[in-house]
């Protein structure tokens, strides 16, 4: 007859080899990603894919269970919902404020002055921070943005009171 402790030890070993965790074990901290549209010291905008990693496992409101949270910065913000009509194109322009942009429906693109174009769909996140960009020889400033496809695009925009920076890609972690 096999002892219960032996079976339990074998089960733990199998779970650890397969990467599975026991229910009461804390899962590893997650990594999320966002696109950062930032400007360098020459005033040229760039798109960089950035990780968010500094999560804490805690409740937002008791008695709700804990969830991974990363509070980037406290401060005033304004939430704006936008619906860009079909075939919308924003032409070259800088973001009005440091702002987080999350597509809710449809896909849109952002092209930085360095030529890097990123297409984003529902659930992807972009940080617009190209206010310090300057016109280049082609007359471009900031970024070009527009809809992908034939339908409208719904976005949630969270404008912050952050001061724009230069030469700091991925400054929020």
């Amino acid at each position: 007859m096999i002892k219960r402790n032996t079976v339990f030890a074998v089960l733990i070993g199998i779970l650890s080899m397969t990467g599975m965790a026991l229910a009461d074990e804390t899962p590893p901290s997650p990594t999320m990603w966002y696109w950062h549209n930032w400007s360098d010291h020459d005033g040229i905008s760039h798109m960089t894919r950035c990780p968010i990693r500094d999560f804490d496992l805690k409740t937002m409101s008791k008695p709700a269970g804990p969830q991974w949270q990363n509070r980037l910065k406290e401060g005033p913000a304004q939430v704006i919902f936008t619906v860009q009509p079909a075939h919308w194109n924003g032409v070259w322009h800088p973001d009005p404020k440091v702002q987080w942009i999350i597509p809710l429906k449809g896909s849109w693109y952002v092209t930085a002055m360095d030529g890097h174009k990123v297409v984003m769909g529902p659930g992807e996140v972009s940080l617009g921070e190209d206010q310090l960009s300057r016109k280049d020889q082609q007359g471009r400033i900031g970024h070009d943005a527009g809809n992908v496809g034939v339908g409208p695009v719904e976005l949630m925009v969270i404008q912050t009171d952050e001061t724009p920076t230069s030469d700091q890609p991925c400054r929020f972690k």
Side-chain angles (χ1 to χ4, degrees), residues 3-139:
K3 292 185 176 182
R4 180 177 272 172
N5 289 345
T6 304
V7 171
F8 188 68
V10 169
L11 179 60
I12 289 175
I14 291 170
L15 289 174
S16 66
M17 287 188 300
T18 61
M20 298 173 68
L22 295 175
D24 61 348
E25 242 182 73
T26 302
S29 179
T31 298
M32 292 176 65
W33 297 90
Y34 68 97
W35 287 100
H36 189 180
N37 180 16
W38 59 280
S39 299
D40 66 22
H41 62 277
D42 292 324
I44 303 299
S45 64
H46 306 271
M47 293 293 288
T48 302
R49 190 165 185 249
C50 305
I52 296 176
R53 292 191 175 111
D54 297 333
F55 287 91
D56 294 315
L57 186 61
K58 60 185 177 182
T59 184
M60 288 184 78
S61 178
K62 290 184 180 187
Q67 56 186 305
W68 291 106
Q69 299 175 43
N70 182 329
R71 295 181 181 256
L72 298 180
K73 184 173 192 271
E74 290 188 40
Q78 180 174 3
V79 176
I80 303 167
F81 290 95
T82 68
V83 179
Q84 298 169 338
H87 310 290
W88 180 85
N89 185 293
V91 300
W92 287 95
H93 67 283
D95 288 301
K97 293 185 168 200
V98 176
Q99 58 188 15
W100 294 95
I101 306 153
I102 304 106
L104 303 172
K105 183 178 179 185
S107 294
W108 72 304
Y109 71 87
V110 174
T111 303
M113 295 168 68
D114 67 1
H116 190 175
K117 180 178 181 177
V118 175
V119 175
M120 291 167 268
E124 294 190 79
V125 179
S126 174
L127 174 61
E129 187 182 16
D130 61 357
Q131 295 81 9
L132 300 179
S133 59
R134 296 188 295 272
K135 279 190 180 178
D136 64 11
Q137 293 190 359
Q138 291 82 29

Side-chain angles (χ1 to χ4, degrees), residues 160-172:
T160 72
D161 66 347
E162 284 287 319
T163 301
T165 63
S166 62
D167 290 323
Q168 292 189 38
C170 303
R171 71 180 177 120
F172 292 106

Side-chain angles (χ1 to χ4, degrees), residues 142-163:
H143 62 280
D144 177 36
N147 293 359
V148 175
V150 296
V153 173
E154 298 174 5
L155 302 171
M156 183 170 80
V157 179
I158 304 165
Q159 292 185 334
T160 72
D161 66 347
E162 284 287 319
T163 301

